[in-house]
Amino acid sequence: MSHTSLSPLPSSDRPDVAARLRDALLGASYTADGMLDLLGAPAYAALARSETVPALRATRGDTPLETLVRLFLLQQPVQHARVADVLPVADCLDGGWLTSVGGDEVAATVDIRPYGGTDGEDWFIVSDLGCAVGGAGGIGSREEGVVLGVGGASTTLAGITVRTPVASALDLGTGSGIQALHTAQHATRVTATDVNPRALHITALTLALSGAPAADLREGSLFEPVADEKYDLIVSNPPFVISPGARLTYRDGGMDGDDLCRTLVQQAGERLNEGGYAQFLANWQHVEGEDWQDRLRSWVPRGCDAWIVQREVQDVMQYAELWLRDAGDHRSDPAEYQTRYDAWLDEFEARKVRAVGFGWISLRRTGAAEPSVTVEEWPHSVEQPLGDAVRAHFDRVGYLREHDDAALLSGHFRLVAEVVQEQVGLPGAEDPEHVVLRQHRGMRRATKVDTVGAGFAGVCDGTLSAGRILDAIAQLIGEDPVLLRDRTPEQIRLLVEQGFIEPVR
């Protein structure tokens, strides 16, 4: 793959230079918090929309932080003498982080974006110039091998990833190394792969500049670079865009339809250690005459529990427009734009695709004879990070699989924190039409329950068994306790599965 028109990258063999640059950036408060303080929330938010004018206006002074923001974030040339007050300029020029322009000025060779880690760490994400943010203006480059920085998809995947300590982790399709950086905090050994060698180079820079351990970097597509190796955690924000052709490496997988995402999910199972997780972002087709949930169930590999959440659905026209704008095609020649748009619609029409779904796919390797596969639509707001909620979901699924109704009734449960009860009915009515339990954390679910379910959940504090609670409710409402014990386990299972109550083990 040729990258001749992309700018040369800093050396990844000079960790000493990366360390000195990192110290200088931190010394000038070039951090996520420092930028927010300098720019203010509106100008900071505007950057995510590819609007730089507010940030340029906020950095007209000559403080060290303003100098760094103009240099690395806004990619403006800055006078050599001014930069020398803040950075080890000779080292940065020698290491390729800066380049001389216009006689007495220097410019950045890469975009360096401050990024707040999970536990407040100050990290830096390296990407190609002009490619740290997407938004309405597109990425600013149509180069095939361009490497993007932080985007909404990156932070979404980082947020849903299970963060338990593991021996080995794989970041497949690493891009600028965001997932590898997160994973390095809780994995002894991190392998990062990408089909684009430039991405692997940039990942090495991201890790070095963030003070993280180096990863085992391997070039290749899908699972080819790791052969039959197994991992405790696999994460991937793959090039999932369903497009005609493979024009842009960072987003177009080059396989028909949603085959890349399907292949990735299907092949992940045999590369997971027992109890290991694989977590992906993906697009999938809604095909005429086919249930989209059945389509996704067919992707789940043998021996894995799965939780698949559809977060968004777009009709094929919205979808084509979104990704044409992403590449800046809307700013091209109108005839060329129309040709590209037609090509997308032709492709979808040929496959009878009516819409495209986007969401999360999480797998957990289990030896269970009957794996649990949950496929649901959840377009509502959630509370990130959700890694603990994902792990808890699979723990609950495992618990329910191992406990029949009799075992469930002898179990002890606890109401999860920040669950509230709402009563819904007509004003002035003596009894509510129904009762709703609502979570204020994690997935923020709401579920209808009857008065027995509401009463049961309200009493769950781990001290009494489920059966004993139901016997007390039966006495209170004058119902046969045997009948109540017979009909309630299904409701208990639902409350456990959706995370309203949890088993006390």
Side-chain angles (χ1 to χ4, degrees), residues 389 392 396 413-421 437-443 456-458 460-462 495-504:
R396 293 192 304 267
F413 299 91
R414 183 192 301 117
L415 185 67
V416 172
E418 295 193 47
V419 171
V420 298
Q421 176 178 306
L437 298 182
R438 188 178 299 278
Q439 302 166 351
H440 283 284
R441 305 298 300 271
M443 292 293 285
F456 177 85
C460 281
D461 62 2
L495 291 173
V496 172
E497 185 182 346
Q498 296 198 345
F500 288 93
I501 58 176
E502 58 190 6
V504 178

Side-chain angles (χ1 to χ4, degrees), residues 116-186:
T118 316
D119 296 314
E121 304 96 337
D122 289 315
W123 295 338
F124 301 98
I125 308 298
V126 179
S127 63
D128 273 313
L129 294 172
C131 297
V133 291
I139 60 167
S141 172
R142 293 197 218 166
E143 289 293 336
E144 183 192 349
V146 76
V147 179
L148 299 195
V150 183
S154 310
T155 54
T156 294
L157 179 59
I160 67 170
T161 300
V162 175
R163 297 292 173 200
T164 48
V166 293
S168 59
L170 170 65
D171 174 14
L172 193 151
T174 187
S176 56
I178 300 155
Q179 310 307 326
L181 179 55
H182 276 280
T183 306
Q185 312 310 305
H186 63 102

Side-chain angles (χ1 to χ4, degrees), residues 151-423:
S154 310
T155 54
T156 294
L157 179 59
I160 67 170
T161 300
V162 175
R163 297 292 173 200
T164 48
V166 293
S168 59
L170 170 65
D171 174 14
L172 193 151
T174 187
S176 56
I178 300 155
Q179 310 307 326
L181 179 55
H182 276 280
T183 306
Q185 312 310 305
H186 63 102
T188 307
R189 177 173 58 85
V190 177
T191 302
T193 70
D194 206 289
V195 72
N196 181 1
R198 189 175 180 88
L200 297 174
H201 189 138
I202 282 180
T203 290
L205 298 176
T206 289
L207 294 172
L209 198 57
S210 298
D216 176 4
L217 303 174
R218 305 187 195 179
E219 183 183 342
S221 177
L222 295 171
F223 288 102
E224 287 168 11
V226 299
D228 297 326
E229 292 173 39
K230 294 193 176 188
Y231 299 88
D232 302 315
L233 174 66
I234 298 172
V235 291
S236 183
N237 175 16
F240 54 67
V241 177
I242 299 169
S243 61
R247 189 160 57 114
L248 298 170
T249 304
Y250 75 88
R251 67 166 207 195
D252 303 324
M255 295 172 78
D256 287 344
D258 51 17
D259 280 357
L260 182 130
C261 291
R262 176 184 56 78
T263 303
L264 193 57
V265 174
Q266 287 179 337
Q267 293 183 357
E270 60 198 28
R271 287 169 177 89
L272 281 177
N273 289 321
E274 192 70 20
Y277 292 92
Q279 297 185 265
F280 314 99
L281 299 185
N283 272 168
W284 43 79
Q285 298 173 152
H286 285 232
V287 179
E288 187 179 325
E290 176 187 85
D291 185 318
W292 67 270
Q293 295 188 335
D294 289 343
R295 183 183 191 84
L296 287 170
R297 284 190 187 93
S298 75
W299 291 9
V300 177
R302 223 176 263 164
C304 288
D305 287 342
W307 183 21
I308 301 174
V309 182
Q310 180 167 275
R311 295 287 288 157
E312 190 179 347
V313 184
Q314 291 183 309
D315 66 51
V316 291
M317 291 166 203
Q318 289 175 307
Y319 187 80
E321 289 160 17
L322 169 70
W323 293 108
L324 287 166
R325 282 197 305 273
D326 170 80
D329 289 326
H330 60 307
R331 297 195 303 268
S332 66
D333 171 61
E336 186 184 338
Y337 176 77
Q338 183 178 338
T339 301
R340 288 195 188 281
Y341 200 151
D342 268 333
W344 285 71
L345 297 185
D346 286 346
E347 188 98 349
F348 285 133
E349 208 170 289
R351 293 201 196 100
K352 298 185 177 177
V353 176
R354 295 294 172 256
V356 177
F358 166 80
W360 321 323
I361 298 178
S362 295
L363 307 176
R364 187 181 192 182
R365 182 83 193 175
T366 171
E370 294 183 25
S372 161
V373 177
T374 303
V375 184
E376 63 176 323
E377 186 157 18
W378 192 255
H380 315 293
S381 67
V382 298
E383 183 192 49
Q384 285 274 34
L386 275 167
D388 286 346
V390 173
R391 179 182 49 76
H393 167 87
F394 286 108
D395 286 348
R396 293 192 304 267
V397 158
Y399 174 88
L400 291 172
R401 179 166 47 222
E402 294 159 11
H403 289 74
D404 61 15
D405 287 356
L408 206 63
L409 291 173
S410 64
H412 293 239
F413 299 91
R414 183 192 301 117
L415 185 67
V416 172
E418 295 193 47
V419 171
V420 298
Q421 176 178 306
E422 298 171 1
Q423 295 185 330

